[in-house]
Amino acid sequence: MTRVSRWGRFSAALGIAGLVLAAAGCAKGTTPGASGGSGGGGGEIDQNAPVTITIGDRPTPDKPNDLKAFNQKIKDFTAKNPNITVKSTETNWQAQTFQAQVAGGTLPTVMSISFTEPANMIPNKQLPDITDELKLVDLTKDLNPNVLKIVQDANGRIYGVPIDVFSVGLAYNRNLFKQAGLDPDKPPTSWDEVRQYAKQISEKTGKAGYAQLTTNNTGGWMLTTMTYSMGGTVESADGKKSTFNDAPTKKALQLLKDMRWTDNSMGSRFLYNQEEVRQDFAAGKIGMVLQAPDAYDMSVKQFGMKPADFGEAALPQDGGPHGTLTGGSLKMISPKATKNEIVAALKWIKFDQFDKYTSQDVAVQDAKTTIADKGFVGRPGISPLSQETYDQYNKWREPYVNVPVKQFQSYIDSTTSLKLLPEPSNKGQEVYSLLDPVVQQVLTKKDADIDKLLSDTASKIDARLAR
């Protein structure tokens, strides 16, 4: 769901082998049209022909530094590719509105979307086959093949470009830990410990020891994460039936109910979206909350949290280790795009997202620009690339690291010790949306019947999955 983090040992966790996408192409920048069904019909690709693309995800005016950097990157790109005209739009992925935009044909040529989308979009022909164009552009020589599976069909054809990968951990406020008499270098590793720590933080500081995301599909998202950490699943492997109406999810909800109503350790606010919970976390109102490491960026840069107060731990486990939810974002290309537009879009993606990983000059300049924009270099996370490429990238940027990496050590260790479990493959956002009210009711109604809530919701979700 969130924009994802990158660092870690993803290659070790998934057993990565490098994927070579060999450059292909004909003389004078033309090649026969791809046979795999790319948008725009048949014909040849002419890399020198004038072409216009529209890119999404333009920063809003309230973020002037980001907008300035975005516009400068477009200028730099078009200077190197004078035949490509780039327009931009603020259109970005929102779970509640995305499918309506797809149906209405209002999407830009290229934009970022969640990992939860391709499983439904590929069979519905809502994404173009970009396999041959990807090879032509030689986008990258070492994308993680396990990550690529998210955007491939049964025949291995590719329909998108993964750019970010994340896994969920436990963000915690090191200062509140100290105030509560807890060791900030020893975050909880089990859910029993989370409950104990939350109660102690609440009693000693008067702040919420733990908070839970509950709105805009995040309630279902984090309930799924907790379910995974307790050994359960949310959907069957084939995505045709819900599987959460069993012990792990019930245990997760009972834990939240006990923390809320018995321990009174979750404060007084129970309707949180992602940005709201980060704001209160940064303000020192929350001791612990489930977040990926990229929560550091917004908490510190946008909401003023002291870097020394931020900690990121492994996702707590129950009877495990079982694993943690992983997800991320990818660049999708409009199914209406012509072959020339697809190639131009892939060139943009390569320039925007990947050049910094393979060029020392670009990597160093990117680090310097990030620091100049008061951004962060070296914040731990997970990479969609091979470890060899990422290790080299990290080495280039090492002199510019400005993040307290040691405060992420528990999370860093978990990238090799915990399995990375994918989000629900079928109608993931709809599943999350229908699970939101379950979490909300458990936290706002003392007499909430967990068994009935899950049974009723399973029936609704099963009807959706069967469509």
Side-chain angles (χ1 to χ4, degrees):
M1 296 263 307
T2 59
R3 185 181 181 281
V4 296
S5 44
R6 309 184 281 253
W7 255 176
R9 312 291 194 280
F10 196 41
S11 58
L14 293 180
I16 293 171
L19 176 68
V20 177
L21 296 172
C26 301
K28 299 181 181 179
T30 65
T31 188
S35 60
S38 295
E44 291 190 345
I45 294 171
D46 183 353
Q47 295 193 61
N48 299 315
V51 61
T52 298
I53 60 172
T54 302
I55 58 176
D57 308 297
R58 184 179 68 216
T60 51
D62 62 321
K63 299 176 181 178
N65 291 335
D66 292 343
L67 182 57
K68 181 179 178 181
F70 179 84
N71 289 332
Q72 184 60 50
K73 183 165 280 190
I74 291 176
K75 290 180 180 178
D76 293 342
F77 174 74
T78 53
K80 291 184 177 181
N81 300 274
N83 66 303
I84 302 175
T85 299
V86 176
K87 298 180 180 180
S88 65
T89 172
E90 292 177 5
T91 302
N92 61 10
W93 179 83
Q94 298 290 336
Q96 293 81 7
T97 59
F98 177 68
Q99 280 302 322
Q101 292 173 321
V102 174
T106 60
L107 297 176
T109 314
V110 59
M111 65 178 285
S112 298
I113 62 172
S114 169
F115 275 7
T116 55
E117 301 293 354
N120 297 316
M121 295 181 74
I122 293 172
N124 290 330
K125 301 187 184 303
Q126 294 173 323
L127 293 172
D129 181 339
I130 61 172
T131 310
D132 299 311
E133 290 84 354
L134 220 165
K135 292 178 182 178
L136 175 66
V137 174
D138 188 22
L139 182 57
T140 183
K141 292 185 173 64
D142 53 0
L143 278 173
N144 179 346
N146 290 290
V147 178
L148 270 180
K149 290 177 182 177
I150 293 166
V151 291
Q152 289 177 307
D153 63 14
N155 297 318
R157 305 294 294 184
I158 302 170
Y159 295 83
V161 183
I163 57 169
D164 284 312
V165 186
F166 74 86
S167 65
V168 178
L170 180 75
Y172 64 100
N173 187 305
R174 293 172 60 88
N175 185 45
L176 287 181
F177 266 48
K178 292 175 184 176
Q179 291 180 34
L182 298 167
D183 186 343
D185 293 325
K186 294 181 180 179
T189 59
S190 69
W191 282 106
D192 286 342
E193 287 182 342
V194 169
R195 183 177 180 182
Q196 295 167 17
Y197 282 35
K199 187 176 181 181
Q200 189 166 330
I201 290 169
S202 181
E203 291 175 348
K204 297 287 187 180
T205 72
K207 309 297 184 182
Y210 178 85
Q212 188 81 357
L213 289 164
T214 53
T215 67
N216 295 351
N217 297 15
T218 63
W221 181 38
M222 288 298 108
L223 179 59
T224 298
T225 301
M226 292 182 72
T227 296
Y228 287 0
S229 74
M230 295 182 175
T233 58
V234 170
E235 280 185 7
S236 58
D238 60 10
K240 295 181 178 179
K241 189 172 179 60
S242 67
T243 57
F244 57 78
N245 190 16
D246 62 0
T249 305
K250 290 179 181 180
K251 188 168 187 178
L253 290 169
Q254 187 62 51
L255 172 66
L256 293 174
K257 188 174 185 178
D258 291 342
M259 292 171 70
R260 162 68 175 100
W261 298 103
T262 302
D263 301 345
N264 193 29
S265 63
M266 294 183 67
S268 58
R269 184 172 180 180
F270 309 104
L271 297 178
Y272 274 119
N273 64 27
Q274 181 91 289
E275 185 166 332
E276 291 166 345
V277 86
R278 290 179 175 183
Q279 186 170 11
D280 277 2
F281 176 71
K285 298 178 181 180
I286 296 170
M288 298 175 287
V289 61
L290 295 182
Q291 289 284 292
D294 69 326
Y296 178 89
D297 301 23
M298 183 181 289
S299 298
V300 174
K301 184 175 182 178
Q302 187 169 334
F303 298 131
M305 188 176 192
K306 294 180 180 178
D309 292 348
F310 188 97
E312 180 78 12
L315 179 71
Q317 302 289 296
D318 182 80
H322 298 295
T324 182
L325 181 145
T326 185
S329 62
L330 60 104
K331 290 293 185 181
M332 70 154 281
I333 295 174
S334 168
K336 293 184 175 182
T338 66
K339 289 181 172 57
N340 283 347
E341 289 169 351
I342 290 173
V343 171
L346 290 175
K347 286 182 178 181
W348 164 256
I349 293 169
K350 181 179 180 181
F351 179 87
D352 180 42
Q353 298 289 332
F354 291 101
D355 279 359
K356 64 183 179 182
Y357 296 118
T358 56
S359 166
Q360 182 173 359
D361 289 343
V362 177
V364 170
Q365 185 57 50
D366 178 77
K368 291 179 178 178
T369 301
T370 297
I371 291 173
D373 290 340
K374 298 181 180 180
F376 306 107
V377 177
R379 188 254 300 140
I382 292 176
S383 168
L385 304 176
S386 72
Q387 197 61 44
E388 181 180 0
T389 298
Y390 214 69
D391 284 345
Q392 180 62 68
Y393 171 69
N394 292 341
K395 187 175 181 180
W396 290 333
R397 290 159 61 94
E398 190 173 350
Y400 306 95
V401 171
N402 62 351
V403 173
V405 176
K406 289 184 178 180
Q407 292 166 204
F408 294 73
Q409 193 59 52
S410 173
Y411 172 84
I412 293 170
D413 293 342
S414 77
T415 61
T416 57
S417 63
L418 290 182
K419 293 180 180 178
L420 299 175
L421 306 172
E423 297 184 79
S425 63
N426 187 17
K427 295 182 172 63
Q429 294 302 328
E430 292 184 47
V431 171
Y432 292 159
S433 177
L434 288 168
L435 285 171
D436 271 5
V438 175
V439 185
Q440 292 168 12
Q441 290 193 53
V442 166
L443 294 180
T444 59
K445 295 184 178 180
K446 192 171 184 177
D447 60 351
D449 186 332
I450 291 174
D451 287 344
K452 187 175 189 308
L453 285 170
L454 287 180
S455 178
D456 291 348
T457 305
S459 297
K460 294 177 184 176
I461 290 177
D462 285 341
R464 298 284 185 93
L465 297 180
R467 291 177 184 173

